Amino acid sequence: MSLVLLLASEVLDVHYDAAHAWLYLDWKGPQQLQLVQAACARVTELIVQTGAHKALNDNTHVTASNWELAKWIAYEYLPVAAQAGIRYVAWVHSPLLGARTNIDLMTAFSDRKPQVAIFDEVVAAYEWLSSVSTVHAEH
């Protein structure tokens, strides 16, 4: 991956992968709702700026999360990301069992826009995201 750093914050680093025209979101440390909400607002701006339709959402560096946060992402943020242009999200689990359970529950309640696929490893997420086409998904 040839990545350009677009944002570095306490909870998130966002890179743009120009070769694939997608965002790579590297979440890190303990995830607190207010910090994540602020980071997601910036991500929305970057989606619009870059025109990205895909995101690789990497949670392998997350050290703490909770159900309130997962619920906010599912019900509040994913629809915003979809409206901004994201069609596909490859979501890489955190190694933390609690965070994994929250994300599994979250995806069960998501309305499928954008389409979210869950992975245990970045390589599998990368391969899936590379295989999906946004040509027919644009409106």
Side-chain angles (χ1 to χ4, degrees), residues 109-129:
F109 294 106
S110 179
D111 70 355
R112 301 285 182 212
K113 290 187 181 185
Q115 181 181 343
V116 177
I118 307 294
F119 300 91
D120 289 323
E121 299 172 350
V122 173
V123 171
Y126 180 95
E127 289 174 359
W128 176 80
L129 204 57

Side-chain angles (χ1 to χ4, degrees), residues 2 10 20 23 29 37-38 40 50 63 68 73 88 98-99 112 136:
S2 175
E10 186 177 343
H20 294 96
L23 295 177
Q37 287 173 328
C40 285
T50 62
T63 59
E68 178 186 20
I73 291 169
Y88 299 99
R112 301 285 182 212
H136 300 293

